[in-house]
Amino acid sequence: MKTPTNLFKQAITSKQAQIGLWVNLANPISTEICAGAGFDWLLLDGEHSPNTLTTLLAQLQAVAAYPGTHAIGRVPLGHGEAGTALIKQFLDLGFQTLLVPMVDTAEQAAALVRAIRYPQDDGQGGIRGMAGARASRWGRYPNYAKEANAQVCLLVQAETQLALDNLDAIATVDGVDGVFIGPADLSASMGHVGNPAHPEVQAAIADAITRINKAGKAAGILTPDEATARKYLALGATFVAVGLDTHLLVRATSALAAAFKTAVASAPVSKTY
């Protein structure tokens, strides 16, 4: 059995737009419902959601029944020894693509590349620890240790002014496949907390997408606003999350209650989360 090809990595490398959904509910049933909707990818969030390795495993198993949808894991931390350990565990679970938050420098990005890669015979590999785990189907992919480096996809988040200052260097790091712009944290870093729609933030995002593409990497972003998502796609963003499961549930339940109860207001329109 050959290690499966990472079709998401293949798609963003060839600049085929990939439409995704943020998944925060930490439940395999709701995740499976989302997987059946037809999105190209689902982000299973380990940073801001109450996920554990066990809940993430159950969700990976649920998504596996829908081969047209790719599961991406966001680690809560990617830097330092703790981050390296978490990256190893997420990869061992079977995630082929990881999203790492708060990457501010090229040096941090290069360290993450080493963390996702196994050592290789030519000495050009990384420091990922060897193990017989779900990623290799417990050894049923006999060449996994030699094939995995080519299939693992690394997406780093640029979500501060410092990251934008270093964006060109981050995007040119060999082994970084895509750079994800985090509008909410970026707006806070730029002095516009909770207002990613501010003209200064939007100008910075447009410039960042252009620079990421110029470096030959894929640009990604999240927005629950349809018009804004289409604008980012037109600007050249390749992987775009167009909603969040929690946001969809808030809007739908509030609207249903408001339809029957005059004292209940519809949920406010969110531009972030």
Side-chain angles (χ1 to χ4, degrees):
M1 296 175 68
K2 187 177 185 297
T3 303
T5 299
N6 186 334
L7 298 178
F8 173 85
K9 181 176 181 176
Q10 197 173 75
I12 65 169
T13 299
S14 60
K15 296 301 177 73
Q16 299 174 27
Q18 300 292 289
I19 305 303
L21 183 75
W22 225 251
V23 176
N24 295 315
L25 289 172
N27 184 283
I29 294 176
S30 57
T31 296
E32 184 171 6
I33 291 170
C34 294
F39 292 102
D40 297 309
W41 56 280
L42 300 179
L43 189 286
L44 307 185
D45 191 11
E47 183 185 18
H48 289 298
S49 296
N51 270 308
T52 65
L53 293 173
T54 302
T55 63
L56 289 167
L57 171 60
Q59 290 170 82
L60 275 173
Q61 291 169 329
V63 176
Y66 302 85
T69 299
H70 184 74
I72 300 174
R74 178 159 73 165
V75 295
L77 171 73
H79 307 305
E81 292 180 357
T84 297
L86 286 167
I87 286 171
K88 175 173 58 179
Q89 290 179 306
F90 271 59
L91 292 174
D92 283 350
L93 282 181
F95 283 108
Q96 284 188 305
T97 301
L98 297 184
L99 179 64
V100 181
M102 292 293 178
V103 178
D104 289 330
T105 68
E107 291 75 18
Q108 289 176 341
L112 295 172
V113 173
R114 291 191 293 274
I116 68 166
R117 289 179 172 174
Y118 281 126
Q120 295 299 304
D121 295 337
D122 59 6
Q124 300 301 308
I127 60 172
R128 179 182 172 189
M130 307 290 289
R134 183 175 181 270
S136 67
R137 295 306 184 267
W138 297 275
R140 291 191 173 108
Y141 300 150
N143 294 315
Y144 178 79
K146 294 187 176 182
E147 296 170 343
N149 287 2
Q151 302 307 328
V152 172
C153 179
L154 175 62
L155 310 173
V156 299
Q157 287 189 241
E159 42 194 341
T160 65
Q161 184 60 58
L162 178 59
L164 294 190
D165 293 342
N166 293 317
L167 185 59
D168 296 334
I170 292 170
T172 55
V173 171
D174 181 37
V176 169
D177 299 292
V179 181
F180 183 92
I181 306 300
D185 283 300
L186 180 59
S187 65
S189 176
M190 294 179 68
H192 306 292
V193 179
N195 185 19
H198 191 282
E200 289 183 4
V201 180
Q202 288 300 304
I205 289 172
D207 178 64
I209 292 172
T210 298
R211 292 161 64 192
I212 295 164
N213 280 312
K214 185 177 179 181
K217 302 299 174 68
I221 201 160
L222 160 68
T223 176
D225 181 73
E226 181 179 348
T228 305
R230 293 189 183 280
K231 181 184 77 171
Y232 293 149
L233 286 163
L235 286 170
T238 304
F239 59 106
V240 178
V242 296
L244 307 90
D245 59 352
T246 48
H247 186 208
L248 293 170
L249 188 60
V250 166
R251 285 196 305 176
T253 53
S254 296
L256 183 59
F260 289 91
K261 296 176 65 67
T262 57
V264 175
S266 295
V269 176
S270 172
K271 297 294 185 181
T272 53
Y273 304 119

